[in-house]
Each structure stands twice: as structure tokens, then as C-alpha cells.
Amino acid sequence: MKYCDEYRDPQIAQAIAGRIANATTRPWVLMEVCGGQTHTLMRYGIGDLLPDSIELVHGPGCPVCVTPLELIDQAIRLAAIPGVTLASFGDMLRVPGSSTDLFDVRAGGADVRVVYSPLDALKIARDNPERQVVFFAVGFETTAPANAMAVWQAHHEGIANFSMLVSHVLVPPAMRLILQSPSNRVQGFIGPGHVCSIMGFGEYHDIAREFGVPIVIGGFEPLDLLEAISMLVAQLEEGRAEVENQYSRSVEYDGNLPAQNMMRTVFSVVNRKWRGIGEIEESGLVLRDEYAAYDAQRRFGLESLEVREPAECISALVLQGQKKPVDCAAFGKRCTPMTPLGAPMVSTEGACAAWYQYKRHDLQHA
Amino acid sequence: MCLAVPGRVLSIAGEDPAFRSGWIDFCGVRKTVNLAFTPEVRAGDFVLVHVGFAISRINREEAARTFAFLAHIGALAEEGITPGEASPGNWDDAA
């Protein structure tokens, strides 16, 4: 209970942990899908509050982590073109490509900018008509409507010097991939709160029914996650496999319809490659033909690259909850957040980076 | 990357639904946010903001708790809110 002092409501945290311990009669393996949830679980040591028979494994829910190396290399190439301004979220710009990263390219004179919204990138294009502004668009369903809106507004206003390098991925296909694996261990999911604020529950009902797996849509704070775990354990112990909503303060059944409409207007669903996992069917988004003029790959004639991942990286197994970060021989030695070998070590929301930040010292002193 | 920061809507501008925007108070830091995905939102409401867009409406108590949590874990910077400039719980009631 060493981290309990950090909770704003330590008594409530202990009460929920007690309820989970009382309800648990068998071992259960639970996975959270969202990187923000991974970070909270690790930071607050929530696993330490739970009975030993509950195992938490971390899913592939960090969009920055699963962006393929090829796309990062393409972004680096784009940034090096004279007259191009490349903009993205700060997390994305820090990720190393196969030989350099975008901040290094900036140090070499390229115009690389951190933005907080895709509309900030659109504003740069509006204010600098002589430059080609490319927004490196990453994210799950939470972020896709915002990025779609930037393209829609560019089209609406006729801002011709704006384009997008799209690396958008979808959560449900990754959950299906994990559940379909013959070596799957996951018995219950904490669903991604803000993804469901946008998309609603529908797709998750299908997964729960098809695979007989309970899903509790959860928030991002320690008590949210403890509560979601408690609801999952109750379902598993009672033999139920339903979708329940712990994060009702932000998530409604149908999700956010205007956001879904904008996403569908601008993007269509395609197969996408996930770093560390490989191609997943119908797991990503691409600009629709009507908006293809805003596709940076097309505008700049970027040919597809094939970049190999280091062979010793076991990230595919980590991202699917089959191995823990410490099961990897390279963890904390050849692979650190400064020199990541694979997807889950590249951003603070990745499972390996979160283990490195919060669990490394425990392991050394164990 | 998937977090969202609560703010209070001070005022709303724009007729076109896709360009409707709010002037939002993030406990002392003010920014313009797109409100296209939350047409129901009015001045005085609290919203969750992700990459410059309001994605849902929440109540004041939840907004205060979530803001304090995000400040505690150092995640406000994700929406471009400089830690130190915002004071959790201090919403501008000018709306």
C-alpha cells in the first residue's frame, strides 16, 4: 500500500481494493487499452493494491508508440524539404526514426513545430501561404475527429498549402487481434474512456458478445481505474461478459455524433500497420478520395519504405499482454526511453517506458 | 495523448457550426477552443478539451477534480497549458 498516500482519497482507494480482494476467488488477467490509463496504473502502483491473483497487462493503446518507423522516417524526409513546415504534437516529434529524429532535423535548420491542435497547424498554413505546412496526424478515435476537422476546414477555405501525413489507428480491431490469438491471456478489458466519449459503446458490445469477455469503459484517475477493475472482477466472478460504463461523466451510449460524422466525412477505414505488431485489418484511417489532395504522401510523392524493427525486441508480445517488459533481455539495458528499440519504449504512455519510469528501481532492489 | 483537460466556457463566437468556438478558462489560462462537436454547450458550462476541441460536457465538481488530477501528474502541458500559470479550482466566474 506504499503509494496510497498519493491518492487524494486514500480511504476510498483502500475500500475499493478491499472490495476487489473480497470478490476475487480465482486468478484473472485484465488489460487496459489506453496509454493514459497505463500511465496512471503504473504511476500509482495500482497493481500493488490488488490481490496477487489479479494480473494487469498493458495493451497497445499508445498511438505514438504504434506509429510505424516508416512514417516517422517519411516525416523526417518531409521536414528536410526546403519550404516545408512540419507540425505535430510534442510526443510525436520526440520519437526517433531509424537514423535521426525530428528535433535533430530542426537543429539542422528544418522548420519543425510543436502544436497542441491540428487547427494550430492549419493557422500556420493560413498565415504563411508561401510555405507548405504538413501536419503529422497521429491518434486513436479521440483525436481523429479533430484532425478530420482541420482537413475539412482547409478544403472549405481553399487552403492549398496544408496537407496531412496520416497515421490514425482504431482501438476495436486491436482488441480483436489480441482476443483471436491462440496464446491470448486477457480475460477482461478496461475500455478506453475518451475513445468511447467519441465512439460510444456499440463496437464494444459486439466484442463482449463475440468473445465472451467483459469490458468496463474506464476513466483515467486512480479511483476510476480501481473502480473499473472492481466492476470487471465482479463480472468475471459472476460469469458475466457485458459492457459497463465506469466513466459515465464523459461517456454516453451513442458517443459524440457530430464528431463521428466529421470523422466519417473525411476519413475511411483501411488496413494499417502497427509498429511492433504488423498489419491489422481495417484498423486505421486514410483520407477519402474527396480529400486526397490533402494527403502529404501523395502531394510529395513519398514512396513507401520498409524499415525493419530490431530482432531482439519483443514488443509484439508486450503490446498483446503475452509478455511483461521485464521479460525482455534488452529492457533497461540496450533499450531505454533514450535509446528505444521498439514501440512501447518510445513514449511515456507505452508499457515499457512506464515500467522503466516507475518499476525499474523496485526490480533492482527486489 | 488521449487525455482531455476541463475548462469553463466564458463566451462563444461564430455562426457556422464547424467554426463555432469558445473562449475557455483553464483555471487562469485562457484559450480558444473549437465547439463544433459540442453544439449543446453554452457560456458558463464546463467541457473536456482534447487537442483544441471540446469533446464532452461535464459538471463543475468533476471538472475541478479532473483538473487537479491532471495538474498533479503534470499532464496539463499536453493541451499547451503552462504549469504554474494555472491554479486548480480557480475558475473564472465572469461568464
Side-chain angles (χ1 to χ4, degrees):
Chain A
M1 300 271 167
K2 58 183 173 168
Y3 292 102
C4 249
D5 296 345
E6 267 211 53
Y7 290 94
R8 220 171 309 283
D9 312 292
Q11 290 91 355
I12 302 176
Q14 289 197 352
I16 303 173
R19 199 198 312 147
I20 295 169
N22 288 335
T24 308
T25 66
R26 278 170 286 170
W28 300 112
V29 178
L30 311 178
M31 173 181 273
E32 88 286 355
V33 193
C34 171
Q37 294 170 334
T38 304
H39 195 92
T40 303
L41 288 170
M42 298 301 292
R43 180 187 173 108
Y44 286 86
I46 285 176
D48 298 339
L49 297 178
L50 302 174
D52 290 342
S53 52
I54 306 257
E55 184 183 348
L56 299 179
V57 294
H58 312 295
C62 164
V64 170
C65 298
V66 300
T67 297
L69 261 178
E70 291 91 312
L71 276 169
I72 298 163
D73 284 350
Q74 286 191 344
I76 290 167
R77 277 197 202 180
L78 284 171
I81 298 173
V84 167
T85 295
L86 188 108
S88 193
F89 304 128
D91 282 1
M92 195 65 241
L93 298 179
R94 273 187 287 276
V95 177
S98 51
S99 59
T100 179
D101 67 46
L102 283 159
F103 282 129
D104 277 345
V105 181
R106 178 163 77 176
D111 188 10
V112 175
R113 302 197 198 179
V114 175
V115 292
Y116 299 102
S117 168
L119 296 182
D120 296 342
L122 186 60
K123 184 175 185 306
I124 296 172
R126 206 183 275 124
D127 294 346
N128 299 276
E130 76 291 355
R131 295 196 67 83
Q132 281 288 335
V133 178
V134 182
F135 180 66
F136 190 5
V138 294
F140 282 117
E141 292 93 325
T142 319
T143 317
N147 291 344
M149 178 63 92
V151 172
W152 187 90
Q153 287 192 1
H155 186 62
H156 185 78
E157 292 181 49
I159 301 175
N161 62 325
F162 178 76
S163 62
M164 209 171 253
L165 180 61
V166 179
S167 175
H168 263 291
V169 281
L170 303 169
V171 169
M175 289 171 68
R176 287 175 178 278
L177 181 91
I178 289 165
L179 291 166
Q180 280 159 358
S181 164
S183 36
N184 169 52
R185 303 177 60 231
V186 179
Q187 294 164 295
F189 281 103
I190 302 173
H194 290 144
V195 167
C196 293
S197 299
I198 302 292
M199 301 306 288
F201 290 19
E203 300 166 288
Y204 298 86
H205 273 306
D206 295 344
I207 293 175
R209 229 185 344 252
E210 208 177 312
F211 295 94
V213 61
I215 301 171
V216 175
I217 314 295
F220 299 84
E221 297 172 35
L223 292 182
D224 289 330
L225 290 162
L226 274 169
E227 191 64 52
I229 291 165
S230 172
M231 291 163 77
L232 276 175
V233 169
Q235 284 205 49
L236 287 163
E237 291 283 345
E238 292 163 22
R240 291 183 290 125
E242 296 164 10
V243 179
E244 293 178 314
N245 185 11
Q246 182 277 325
Y247 196 42
S248 56
R249 61 185 187 270
S250 172
V251 177
E252 291 178 24
Y253 188 87
D254 289 328
N256 184 321
L257 297 175
Q260 289 173 32
N261 286 339
M262 181 52 69
M263 191 173 146
R264 293 198 183 105
T265 298
V266 173
F267 291 123
S268 60
V269 175
V270 289
N271 298 351
R272 272 227 176 254
K273 181 177 174 185
W274 294 48
R275 183 175 186 178
I277 296 180
E279 184 165 290
I280 307 179
E281 214 172 290
E282 301 198 341
S283 68
L285 299 174
V286 68
L287 290 169
R288 284 188 184 280
D289 288 346
E290 302 93 290
Y291 298 93
Y294 298 90
D295 182 343
Q297 284 175 321
R298 192 169 131 144
R299 180 171 298 181
F300 295 93
L302 295 173
E303 72 275 28
S304 56
L305 302 162
E306 187 69 41
V307 184
R308 278 179 193 277
E309 298 278 346
E312 69 176 326
C313 176
I314 62 163
S315 60
L317 299 172
V318 172
L319 293 170
Q320 296 182 70
Q322 294 174 18
K323 294 272 188 194
K324 286 192 181 300
V326 282
D327 296 334
C328 177
F331 177 81
K333 302 185 182 87
R334 290 176 299 289
C335 184
T336 69
M338 299 306 288
T339 54
L341 288 182
M345 192 60 102
V346 300
S347 152
T348 53
E349 292 183 0
C352 294
W355 269 72
Y356 186 85
Q357 189 173 357
Y358 297 114
K359 281 262 195 185
R360 185 168 41 116
H361 299 297
D362 299 1
L363 297 168
Q364 281 166 356
H365 298 135
Chain B
M1 181 75 225
C2 267
L3 295 177
V5 179
R8 183 187 176 94
V9 182
L10 298 176
S11 60
I12 295 176
E15 296 290 315
D16 185 329
F19 291 87
R20 188 170 174 262
S21 68
W23 182 236
I24 309 284
D25 174 38
F26 295 98
C27 293
V29 176
R30 293 173 177 196
K31 290 168 78 90
T32 298
V33 163
N34 184 292
L35 298 179
F37 303 145
T38 49
E40 73 281 12
V41 161
R42 300 288 171 260
D45 285 350
F46 289 84
V47 288
L48 278 177
V49 176
H50 175 71
V51 298
F53 287 74
I55 58 168
S56 62
R57 196 165 60 149
I58 57 169
N59 69 38
R60 183 187 185 118
E61 187 190 318
E62 291 159 355
R65 203 185 62 211
T66 302
F67 198 96
F69 169 73
L70 294 173
H72 180 68
I73 66 165
L76 294 174
E78 220 171 89
E79 281 295 323
I81 298 161
T82 314
E85 286 180 16
S87 40
N90 182 20
W91 303 104
D92 191 321
D93 279 312

